[in-house]
Amino acid sequence: MRVVIALGGNAMTSPDGSARPEDQIAAIHTAMAATADLIAAGHEVVVTHGNGPQVGNLLVKNELAAAVVPPVPLDWCGAQTQGTIGFTILDELEGALAERGCATPVAALVSRTRVDADDQGFTHPSKPIGRYVSAEAARTMIDHGQTWEDRGERGWRRVVASPEPREFLEAGTVRTLLSQGYAVVAAGGGGIPVVAGEHGRLRGVEAVIDKDLTACLLARSVDADVLVIATDVANAAVDWGTPTQRDLRSVTVAEMRAHAADGQFASGSMGPKVEAALRFVEAGGPRSVITSLDRIGEALEGRAGTVIKNPPPAAGSA
């Protein structure tokens, strides 16, 4: 089975959100143990991951050093975090596979995602990133061409475009590596955002792409059998945090769309995960799974998680 696993930011940091190097290595060590179990069981695996805390760290460095060196643009931040996280995943996954007597090789790609240059996000940036700062600190960054908003008592915060992902550009490379028996790490942080200019020449842009939506694009591009959205809960649920909370197990696309339309999934947490899972199945993918990292194996066997798929054709239908 070909599986794309999208790891949330919680899988890259400690439980309290700390993103010190040692915290990240420990968290990735845990995540790769679960991933290695799937590979050792015979599945073809592509791993994609978030990079929010890591980019956040780079943005703080930008702010502190802005008066000394030019800030690093967001596409560079994405590339740097893909390299750092990818290198760490390589080390930890190879080690976990060796412990299981599995010789599957691993490759990590610095990879790009094409977005439209005329996406409305570029004219109306709305995705807040990084920490709150004083007006004076924000002014320094604004002078470097960034967009910051006054958020009242908490201070100023940077806002950037969050365009729709249109094409995962390294799909052919991923398919080639899978055909040669590799496990692959790709599309970290949603992919480095690029747009096509004159004569199709690509250039990086200041933007943040939703990593779950790119995970859907990645899964479609490599003909995955299942897209797994790994998060910090075992199931998606309706009426979350209330006495009537109900975990969702096996649901159809229509049922999940109805729950989403009812506002059951918060835009800042479960909403993008559900949207990505739905898009994959709506585009012809066999099924999507939303579950916690430690339940992925069970979820692939249908014994855990929220599984989204289309209902089987009615008896006698053409």
Side-chain angles (χ1 to χ4, degrees):
M1 185 183 302
R2 180 167 291 180
V3 183
V4 170
I5 303 173
L7 299 175
N10 61 292
M12 301 293 124
T13 60
S14 66
D16 65 359
S18 298
R20 299 176 304 170
E22 56 266 38
D23 296 322
Q24 295 182 56
I25 292 169
I28 292 172
H29 175 85
T30 299
M32 291 306 104
T35 305
D37 286 339
L38 297 180
I39 297 170
H43 299 297
E44 294 182 330
V45 172
V46 180
V47 176
T48 186
H49 58 80
N51 65 350
Q54 292 78 13
V55 168
N57 281 352
L58 291 180
L59 293 177
V60 173
K61 294 175 183 178
N62 273 353
E63 294 157 16
L64 295 176
V68 182
V69 295
V72 175
L74 271 175
D75 51 324
W76 283 38
C77 289
Q80 290 179 24
T81 55
Q82 281 189 5
T84 302
I85 296 171
F87 145 74
T88 308
I89 289 177
L90 280 175
D91 283 352
E92 296 302 327
L93 183 52
E94 285 179 346
L97 289 169
E99 290 174 355
R100 290 157 177 76
C102 181
T104 297
V106 186
L109 299 179
V110 175
S111 41
R112 304 156 298 168
T113 300
R114 184 182 62 79
V115 300
D116 290 337
D118 60 356
D119 191 290
Q120 65 177 358
F122 290 111
T123 54
H124 299 90
S126 59
K127 173 71 174 178
I129 62 170
R131 62 176 184 165
Y132 292 89
V133 303
S134 67
E136 180 181 2
R139 174 55 56 189
T140 301
M141 306 307 291
I142 291 170
D143 290 343
H144 282 286
Q146 297 180 2
T147 302
W148 287 69
E149 289 184 348
D150 185 353
R151 295 297 179 100
E153 292 183 358
R154 300 190 69 180
W156 287 65
R157 198 173 186 198
R158 187 180 179 188
V159 291
V160 300
S162 184
E164 184 79 13
R166 296 300 182 187
E167 181 182 7
F168 175 64
L169 296 176
E170 271 61 58
T173 306
V174 174
R175 288 195 296 268
T176 297
L177 288 166
L178 288 171
S179 72
Q180 297 300 309
Y182 279 78
V184 184
V185 184
I192 303 165
V194 298
V195 298
E198 188 176 1
H199 306 302
R201 185 180 181 87
L202 298 171
R203 60 179 176 85
V205 290
E206 292 264 32
V208 172
I209 306 174
D210 185 277
K211 67 148 181 76
D212 292 313
L213 296 185
T214 298
C216 167
L217 195 61
L218 168 64
R220 288 164 49 194
S221 298
V222 302
D223 300 320
D225 297 299
V226 58
L227 168 62
V228 177
I229 307 291
T231 183
D232 55 357
V233 294
N235 297 78
V238 294
D239 298 339
W240 175 261
T242 72
T244 58
Q245 177 177 323
R246 176 170 61 87
D247 288 345
L248 299 173
R249 297 299 301 272
S250 181
V251 292
T252 66
V253 167
E255 291 167 341
M256 208 65 169
R257 278 287 176 207
H259 291 316
D262 288 340
Q264 288 286 349
F265 311 116
S267 60
S269 56
M270 189 59 73
K273 298 173 176 57
V274 169
E275 179 63 26
L278 284 168
R279 288 189 187 187
F280 178 66
V281 179
E282 288 171 337
R287 60 181 166 136
S288 296
V289 173
I290 300 172
T291 194
S292 56
L293 189 63
D294 61 336
R295 304 295 296 276
I296 292 176
E298 297 172 72
L300 293 181
E301 297 172 355
R303 298 187 291 111
T306 298
V307 179
I308 303 170
K309 56 186 177 180
N310 283 311
S317 63

